[in-house]
PDB file of all heavy atoms in Angstrom:
ATOM      1  N   ALA A 396      31.913   8.325   8.918  1.00  0.00           N
ATOM      2  CA  ALA A 396      33.057   8.436   9.829  1.00  0.00           C
ATOM      3  C   ALA A 396      32.571   8.639  11.258  1.00  0.00           C
ATOM      4  O   ALA A 396      31.497   9.195  11.480  1.00  0.00           O
ATOM      5  CB  ALA A 396      33.927   9.614   9.403  1.00  0.00           C
ATOM      6  N   CYS A 397      33.353   8.179  12.209  1.00  0.00           N
ATOM      7  CA  CYS A 397      33.056   8.487  13.607  1.00  0.00           C
ATOM      8  C   CYS A 397      33.618   9.868  13.900  1.00  0.00           C
ATOM      9  O   CYS A 397      34.784  10.136  13.614  1.00  0.00           O
ATOM     10  CB  CYS A 397      33.683   7.467  14.550  1.00  0.00           C
ATOM     11  SG  CYS A 397      33.466   7.929  16.285  1.00  0.00           S
ATOM     12  N   PRO A 398      32.803  10.753  14.483  1.00  0.00           N
ATOM     13  CA  PRO A 398      33.317  12.098  14.760  1.00  0.00           C
ATOM     14  C   PRO A 398      34.426  12.111  15.810  1.00  0.00           C
ATOM     15  O   PRO A 398      35.160  13.085  15.923  1.00  0.00           O
ATOM     16  CB  PRO A 398      32.077  12.857  15.261  1.00  0.00           C
ATOM     17  CG  PRO A 398      31.092  11.808  15.652  1.00  0.00           C
ATOM     18  CD  PRO A 398      31.392  10.600  14.831  1.00  0.00           C
ATOM     19  N   HIS A 399      34.540  11.027  16.580  1.00  0.00           N
ATOM     20  CA  HIS A 399      35.514  11.022  17.677  1.00  0.00           C
ATOM     21  C   HIS A 399      36.744  10.164  17.419  1.00  0.00           C
ATOM     22  O   HIS A 399      37.682  10.174  18.199  1.00  0.00           O
ATOM     23  CB  HIS A 399      34.843  10.520  18.959  1.00  0.00           C
ATOM     24  CG  HIS A 399      33.541  11.199  19.238  1.00  0.00           C
ATOM     25  ND1 HIS A 399      33.456  12.533  19.519  1.00  0.00           N
ATOM     26  CD2 HIS A 399      32.264  10.732  19.232  1.00  0.00           C
ATOM     27  CE1 HIS A 399      32.183  12.868  19.695  1.00  0.00           C
ATOM     28  NE2 HIS A 399      31.444  11.791  19.520  1.00  0.00           N
ATOM     29  N   CYS A 400      36.694   9.364  16.333  1.00  0.00           N
ATOM     30  CA  CYS A 400      37.791   8.418  16.102  1.00  0.00           C
ATOM     31  C   CYS A 400      38.240   8.500  14.648  1.00  0.00           C
ATOM     32  O   CYS A 400      37.493   8.932  13.786  1.00  0.00           O
ATOM     33  CB  CYS A 400      37.340   6.976  16.363  1.00  0.00           C
ATOM     34  SG  CYS A 400      36.688   6.720  18.016  1.00  0.00           S
ATOM     35  N   SER A 401      39.452   8.014  14.396  1.00  0.00           N
ATOM     36  CA  SER A 401      39.864   7.894  13.006  1.00  0.00           C
ATOM     37  C   SER A 401      39.431   6.516  12.500  1.00  0.00           C
ATOM     38  O   SER A 401      40.253   5.654  12.238  1.00  0.00           O
ATOM     39  CB  SER A 401      41.370   8.100  12.871  1.00  0.00           C
ATOM     40  OG  SER A 401      42.067   7.418  13.885  1.00  0.00           O
ATOM     41  N   ALA A 402      38.121   6.337  12.433  1.00  0.00           N
ATOM     42  CA  ALA A 402      37.563   5.049  12.002  1.00  0.00           C
ATOM     43  C   ALA A 402      36.166   5.287  11.451  1.00  0.00           C
ATOM     44  O   ALA A 402      35.541   6.315  11.742  1.00  0.00           O
ATOM     45  CB  ALA A 402      37.501   4.089  13.189  1.00  0.00           C
ATOM     46  N   TRP A 403      35.675   4.341  10.651  1.00  0.00           N
ATOM     47  CA  TRP A 403      34.299   4.431  10.167  1.00  0.00           C
ATOM     48  C   TRP A 403      33.352   3.855  11.208  1.00  0.00           C
ATOM     49  O   TRP A 403      33.709   2.941  11.943  1.00  0.00           O
ATOM     50  CB  TRP A 403      34.117   3.645   8.864  1.00  0.00           C
ATOM     51  CG  TRP A 403      35.090   4.001   7.786  1.00  0.00           C
ATOM     52  CD1 TRP A 403      35.990   3.167   7.190  1.00  0.00           C
ATOM     53  CD2 TRP A 403      35.263   5.280   7.167  1.00  0.00           C
ATOM     54  NE1 TRP A 403      36.716   3.849   6.241  1.00  0.00           N
ATOM     55  CE2 TRP A 403      36.295   5.142   6.210  1.00  0.00           C
ATOM     56  CE3 TRP A 403      34.656   6.530   7.339  1.00  0.00           C
ATOM     57  CZ2 TRP A 403      36.732   6.209   5.419  1.00  0.00           C
ATOM     58  CZ3 TRP A 403      35.096   7.586   6.555  1.00  0.00           C
ATOM     59  CH2 TRP A 403      36.116   7.430   5.613  1.00  0.00           C
ATOM     60  N   ARG A 404      32.129   4.371  11.204  1.00  0.00           N
ATOM     61  CA  ARG A 404      31.116   3.721  12.019  1.00  0.00           C
ATOM     62  C   ARG A 404      30.460   2.619  11.195  1.00  0.00           C
ATOM     63  O   ARG A 404      30.195   2.783  10.014  1.00  0.00           O
ATOM     64  CB  ARG A 404      30.075   4.729  12.498  1.00  0.00           C
ATOM     65  CG  ARG A 404      30.535   5.422  13.767  1.00  0.00           C
ATOM     66  CD  ARG A 404      29.564   6.459  14.203  1.00  0.00           C
ATOM     67  NE  ARG A 404      29.375   7.463  13.153  1.00  0.00           N
ATOM     68  CZ  ARG A 404      28.332   8.291  13.111  1.00  0.00           C
ATOM     69  NH1 ARG A 404      27.410   8.229  14.037  1.00  0.00           N
ATOM     70  NH2 ARG A 404      28.231   9.172  12.145  1.00  0.00           N
ATOM     71  N   ARG A 414      27.357   2.444  14.364  1.00  0.00           N
ATOM     72  CA  ARG A 414      28.030   2.242  15.641  1.00  0.00           C
ATOM     73  C   ARG A 414      29.535   2.253  15.459  1.00  0.00           C
ATOM     74  O   ARG A 414      30.051   1.597  14.563  1.00  0.00           O
ATOM     75  CB  ARG A 414      27.637   0.868  16.195  1.00  0.00           C
ATOM     76  CG  ARG A 414      26.844   0.957  17.481  1.00  0.00           C
ATOM     77  CD  ARG A 414      26.646  -0.409  18.062  1.00  0.00           C
ATOM     78  NE  ARG A 414      25.424  -1.047  17.548  1.00  0.00           N
ATOM     79  CZ  ARG A 414      25.202  -2.355  17.622  1.00  0.00           C
ATOM     80  NH1 ARG A 414      26.104  -3.156  18.156  1.00  0.00           N
ATOM     81  NH2 ARG A 414      24.086  -2.852  17.160  1.00  0.00           N
ATOM     82  N   CYS A 415      30.214   2.992  16.313  1.00  0.00           N
ATOM     83  CA  CYS A 415      31.667   2.975  16.269  1.00  0.00           C
ATOM     84  C   CYS A 415      32.169   1.831  17.146  1.00  0.00           C
ATOM     85  O   CYS A 415      31.839   1.777  18.331  1.00  0.00           O
ATOM     86  CB  CYS A 415      32.238   4.301  16.771  1.00  0.00           C
ATOM     87  SG  CYS A 415      34.035   4.250  16.881  1.00  0.00           S
ATOM     88  N   HIS A 416      32.944   0.936  16.566  1.00  0.00           N
ATOM     89  CA  HIS A 416      33.433  -0.207  17.341  1.00  0.00           C
ATOM     90  C   HIS A 416      34.637   0.145  18.197  1.00  0.00           C
ATOM     91  O   HIS A 416      35.160  -0.689  18.916  1.00  0.00           O
ATOM     92  CB  HIS A 416      33.762  -1.375  16.402  1.00  0.00           C
ATOM     93  CG  HIS A 416      32.535  -2.020  15.825  1.00  0.00           C
ATOM     94  ND1 HIS A 416      32.568  -3.166  15.076  1.00  0.00           N
ATOM     95  CD2 HIS A 416      31.224  -1.676  15.895  1.00  0.00           C
ATOM     96  CE1 HIS A 416      31.332  -3.509  14.702  1.00  0.00           C
ATOM     97  NE2 HIS A 416      30.505  -2.603  15.174  1.00  0.00           N
ATOM     98  N   HIS A 417      35.083   1.393  18.122  1.00  0.00           N
ATOM     99  CA  HIS A 417      36.224   1.804  18.937  1.00  0.00           C
ATOM    100  C   HIS A 417      35.797   2.580  20.176  1.00  0.00           C
ATOM    101  O   HIS A 417      36.287   2.336  21.257  1.00  0.00           O
ATOM    102  CB  HIS A 417      37.215   2.619  18.104  1.00  0.00           C
ATOM    103  CG  HIS A 417      37.783   1.805  16.984  1.00  0.00           C
ATOM    104  ND1 HIS A 417      38.869   0.984  17.141  1.00  0.00           N
ATOM    105  CD2 HIS A 417      37.371   1.634  15.706  1.00  0.00           C
ATOM    106  CE1 HIS A 417      39.119   0.348  16.002  1.00  0.00           C
ATOM    107  NE2 HIS A 417      38.233   0.735  15.115  1.00  0.00           N
ATOM    108  N   CYS A 418      34.875   3.538  20.006  1.00  0.00           N
ATOM    109  CA  CYS A 418      34.466   4.337  21.167  1.00  0.00           C
ATOM    110  C   CYS A 418      33.023   4.066  21.570  1.00  0.00           C
ATOM    111  O   CYS A 418      32.559   4.539  22.596  1.00  0.00           O
ATOM    112  CB  CYS A 418      34.643   5.825  20.889  1.00  0.00           C
ATOM    113  SG  CYS A 418      33.424   6.492  19.734  1.00  0.00           S
ATOM    114  N   GLY A 419      32.295   3.314  20.744  1.00  0.00           N
ATOM    115  CA  GLY A 419      30.927   2.971  21.105  1.00  0.00           C
ATOM    116  C   GLY A 419      29.891   3.997  20.663  1.00  0.00           C
ATOM    117  O   GLY A 419      28.685   3.782  20.831  1.00  0.00           O
ATOM    118  N   TYR A 420      30.331   5.134  20.098  1.00  0.00           N
ATOM    119  CA  TYR A 420      29.394   6.178  19.688  1.00  0.00           C
ATOM    120  C   TYR A 420      28.361   5.625  18.701  1.00  0.00           C
ATOM    121  O   TYR A 420      28.712   5.062  17.673  1.00  0.00           O
ATOM    122  CB  TYR A 420      30.175   7.334  19.060  1.00  0.00           C
ATOM    123  CG  TYR A 420      29.316   8.505  18.642  1.00  0.00           C
ATOM    124  CD1 TYR A 420      28.702   9.313  19.596  1.00  0.00           C
ATOM    125  CD2 TYR A 420      29.117   8.790  17.298  1.00  0.00           C
ATOM    126  CE1 TYR A 420      27.907  10.379  19.215  1.00  0.00           C
ATOM    127  CE2 TYR A 420      28.332   9.859  16.902  1.00  0.00           C
ATOM    128  CZ  TYR A 420      27.724  10.652  17.866  1.00  0.00           C
ATOM    129  OH  TYR A 420      26.939  11.702  17.482  1.00  0.00           O
ATOM    130  N   THR A 421      27.092   5.790  19.050  1.00  0.00           N
ATOM    131  CA  THR A 421      26.012   5.174  18.273  1.00  0.00           C
ATOM    132  C   THR A 421      24.955   6.202  17.913  1.00  0.00           C
ATOM    133  O   THR A 421      24.579   7.025  18.739  1.00  0.00           O
ATOM    134  CB  THR A 421      25.359   4.043  19.107  1.00  0.00           C
ATOM    135  OG1 THR A 421      26.376   3.111  19.463  1.00  0.00           O
ATOM    136  CG2 THR A 421      24.270   3.321  18.324  1.00  0.00           C
ATOM    137  N   VAL A 634      44.564   2.706  14.365  1.00  0.00           N
ATOM    138  CA  VAL A 634      43.488   3.663  14.630  1.00  0.00           C
ATOM    139  C   VAL A 634      44.056   4.679  15.611  1.00  0.00           C
ATOM    140  O   VAL A 634      44.231   4.398  16.788  1.00  0.00           O
ATOM    141  CB  VAL A 634      42.239   2.979  15.216  1.00  0.00           C
ATOM    142  CG1 VAL A 634      41.157   4.003  15.539  1.00  0.00           C
ATOM    143  CG2 VAL A 634      41.715   1.951  14.224  1.00  0.00           C
ATOM    144  N   ARG A 636      43.093   7.944  16.473  1.00  0.00           N
ATOM    145  CA  ARG A 636      42.261   8.751  17.353  1.00  0.00           C
ATOM    146  C   ARG A 636      41.091   7.908  17.826  1.00  0.00           C
ATOM    147  O   ARG A 636      40.379   7.317  17.011  1.00  0.00           O
ATOM    148  CB  ARG A 636      41.747   9.982  16.613  1.00  0.00           C
ATOM    149  CG  ARG A 636      41.041  10.990  17.520  1.00  0.00           C
ATOM    150  CD  ARG A 636      40.931  12.343  16.838  1.00  0.00           C
ATOM    151  NE  ARG A 636      40.308  12.206  15.514  1.00  0.00           N
ATOM    152  CZ  ARG A 636      39.029  12.456  15.275  1.00  0.00           C
ATOM    153  NH1 ARG A 636      38.247  12.879  16.227  1.00  0.00           N
ATOM    154  NH2 ARG A 636      38.538  12.300  14.064  1.00  0.00           N
ATOM    155  N   VAL A 637      40.908   7.818  19.130  1.00  0.00           N
ATOM    156  CA  VAL A 637      39.769   7.089  19.688  1.00  0.00           C
ATOM    157  C   VAL A 637      39.131   7.966  20.750  1.00  0.00           C
ATOM    158  O   VAL A 637      39.821   8.470  21.642  1.00  0.00           O
ATOM    159  CB  VAL A 637      40.190   5.729  20.292  1.00  0.00           C
ATOM    160  CG1 VAL A 637      39.041   5.107  21.065  1.00  0.00           C
ATOM    161  CG2 VAL A 637      40.668   4.778  19.206  1.00  0.00           C
ATOM    162  N   ALA A 638      37.820   8.156  20.632  1.00  0.00           N
ATOM    163  CA  ALA A 638      37.071   8.977  21.577  1.00  0.00           C
ATOM    164  C   ALA A 638      37.717  10.352  21.758  1.00  0.00           C
ATOM    165  O   ALA A 638      37.816  10.876  22.866  1.00  0.00           O
ATOM    166  CB  ALA A 638      36.928   8.256  22.922  1.00  0.00           C
ATOM    167  N   GLY A 639      38.190  10.920  20.663  1.00  0.00           N
ATOM    168  CA  GLY A 639      38.715  12.273  20.704  1.00  0.00           C
ATOM    169  C   GLY A 639      40.138  12.377  21.225  1.00  0.00           C
ATOM    170  O   GLY A 639      40.664  13.467  21.394  1.00  0.00           O
TER     171      GLY A 639
HETATM  172 ZN1   ZN B 703      34.411   6.309  17.678  1.00  0.00          ZN
END
Side-chain angles (χ1 to χ4, degrees):
C397 174
H399 311 295
C400 303
S401 43
W403 307 120
R404 275 177 301 162
R414 245 187 271 162
C415 174
H416 288 187
H417 297 275
C418 72
Y420 182 69
T421 303
V634 178
R636 189 163 53 99
V637 170

